[in-house]
């Protein structure tokens, strides 16, 4: 009986520890994502995510971006082309996909989904890996 309790207590501690370790750190992901954004995205989507009228759609307060997390993972990996409507305006350009790791994609999306007035749930590297397949 006593042994059972000790084993149970130990198992609980181990589970707590594991779930703590696995908790996704959104804050540091956003910080890393800013670096990725500056290198890979800023030239078109601009420093404040405002884009360029009629050419590069905005990411700041983009209804299109925030509407679908999985779609934005897919688009960062594989690109976007054809007509899309962002904040009521039609864009019909092309963006090629990016050769980024699962973590870099999750970081850059966490940055753009949580900057310039955007607020979104975390994108984990696991979600990116699953979408890549
Ligand atoms: C060479 C210019 C260019 C670069 C660099 C670029 N994009 Fe884009 N992006 C575009 C264009 C053009 C579109 C719209 C494509 C269309 O009209 O179908 C777009 C669309 C998008 C969209 C969907 C529309 C929206 O406004 O929500 C997302 C999300 C996005 N880009 C994210 C990124 C991310 C993340 C990066 C960096 C990893 C990046 N882009 C880098 C040109 C670029």
């Amino acid at each position: 009986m006593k042994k059972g309790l000790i084993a149970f207590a130990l198992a609980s501690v181990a589970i707590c520890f594991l779930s703590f370790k696995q908790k996704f750190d959104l804050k540091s992901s956003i910080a890393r994502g800013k670096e990725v954004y500056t290198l890979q995205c800023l030239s078109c989507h601009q420093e404040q995510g405002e884009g360029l009228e009629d050419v590069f759609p905005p990411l700041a307060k983009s209804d299109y971006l925030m509407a679908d997390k999985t779609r934005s993972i897919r688009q960062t990996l594989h690109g976007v082309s054809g007509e899309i409507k962002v904040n009521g305006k039609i864009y019909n350009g092309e963006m090629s996909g990016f050769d980024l790791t699962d973590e870099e994609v999750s970081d850059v999306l966490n940055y753009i989904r949580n900057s310039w007035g955007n607020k979104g749930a975390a994108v984990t590297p696991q979600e990116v890996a699953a979408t890549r397949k």
Side-chain angles (χ1 to χ4, degrees):
M1 186 62 190
K2 220 175 178 180
K3 255 189 191 158
L5 271 177
I6 290 169
F8 178 74
L10 283 175
S12 311
V13 169
I15 287 165
C16 279
F17 182 69
L18 281 175
S19 53
F20 174 73
K21 277 203 72 159
Q22 276 171 2
K23 193 169 179 316
F24 187 72
D25 184 352
L26 180 60
K27 243 183 156 172
S28 34
S29 174
I30 292 171
R32 289 191 302 269
K34 187 174 183 178
E35 310 275 313
V36 181
Y37 184 82
T38 305
L39 288 171
Q40 307 273 359
C41 323
L42 185 147
S43 58
C44 294
H45 292 287
Q46 304 299 304
E47 196 166 355
Q48 296 301 314
E50 70 271 34
L52 193 66
E53 192 152 11
D54 299 323
V55 185
F56 304 126
L59 301 174
K61 303 190 180 74
S62 161
D63 57 355
Y64 181 90
L65 168 68
M66 299 311 284
D68 191 336
K69 186 159 92 164
T70 311
R71 177 176 64 191
S72 59
I73 297 173
R74 215 181 314 116
Q75 292 180 331
T76 306
L77 289 170
H78 306 302
V80 195
S81 65
E83 222 176 78
I84 59 170
K85 197 173 181 181
V86 183
N87 296 344
K89 289 200 78 170
I90 303 281
Y91 291 83
N92 194 354
E94 192 170 348
M95 174 177 102
S96 11
F98 293 87
D99 188 14
L100 297 169
T101 65
D102 294 340
E103 188 176 60
E104 287 167 335
V105 172
S106 106
D107 291 345
V108 77
L109 287 175
N110 285 325
Y111 176 66
I112 65 176
R113 287 166 54 81
N114 291 283
S115 298
W116 321 301
N118 295 345
K119 195 147 184 49
V123 176
T124 63
Q126 288 76 17
E127 283 172 273
V128 178
T131 308
R132 199 187 278 279
K133 281 181 210 147

